[in-house]
Amino acid sequence: QVQLVESGGGLVQAGGSLRLSCAASGRTFSSYAMGWFRQAPGKEREFVAAITWSGRNTYYADSVKGRFTISRDNAKNTVYLQMNSLKPDDTAVYYCAAKWVRGSAVVVVPGGEYDYWGQGTQVTVSS
C-alpha cells in the first residue's frame, strides 16, 4: 500500500513557475514508476509526465514538453514536477500516481495503469 500526498500548488501569473511535490509513504518507493496527471474543470483527466523507477527516463505530454520537468528522489520518497512558463491553460488539479513495476524500466502513460493516486493539488494560472 502506498499513500501519496501532493503539495506545492497555488496561484501564479502566466509566465511564472511552480514546483509540485508528491511524497510517498512506504519503503518500496523505488519499485514504482510515477506519473503526474491533471484535470481541469469540465475536462477529462489528462496525462502530463511520467518517470521510470530510477529516474533515468521520462516522458511528457506534447502540451508541456520543454516547460515541465519531472524528477524524483528515491531517498526522500518524493517525485517532483517543475513547471515553468506557465499558461492559463495549465490551470487544473494536479495528481501524482504510482505504478508497481518492480525494477522494470518503463514509463507509464495511461492513467488506468496506475495503482495509487494522491488527492491532488490545485494550480491556478492567471492571465
Side-chain angles (χ1 to χ4, degrees):
Q1 188 80 7
V2 174
Q3 291 186 328
L4 304 173
V5 180
E6 301 97 334
S7 62
L11 174 64
V12 64
Q13 288 188 332
S17 299
L18 282 174
R19 188 176 83 153
L20 305 183
S21 299
C22 173
S25 64
R27 302 179 184 178
T28 59
F29 179 68
S30 61
S31 295
Y32 290 84
M34 300 296 294
W36 284 97
F37 291 76
R38 66 187 181 186
Q39 187 167 20
K43 295 186 177 181
E44 293 186 353
R45 181 183 65 197
E46 66 173 352
F47 168 80
V48 175
I51 191 166
T52 53
W53 71 267
S54 66
R56 292 179 182 174
N57 298 100
T58 58
Y59 186 78
Y60 298 92
D62 287 343
S63 59
V64 307
K65 200 174 296 182
R67 300 188 298 122
F68 291 10
T69 302
I70 187 171
S71 62
R72 66 190 294 163
D73 185 339
N74 286 344
K76 295 182 178 180
N77 282 13
T78 302
V79 64
Y80 304 98
L81 186 68
Q82 177 67 44
M83 305 186 295
N84 298 329
S85 302
L86 283 161
K87 306 174 181 179
D89 284 348
D90 295 318
T91 295
V93 178
Y94 283 71
Y95 300 90
C96 70
K99 165 69 176 176
W100 172 262
V101 295
R102 201 165 57 183
S104 177
V106 294
V107 288
V108 182
V109 175
E113 295 289 322
Y114 282 87
D115 301 311
Y116 302 100
W117 293 83
Q119 83 291 346
T121 185
Q122 176 70 47
V123 172
T124 303
V125 185
S126 63
S127 57

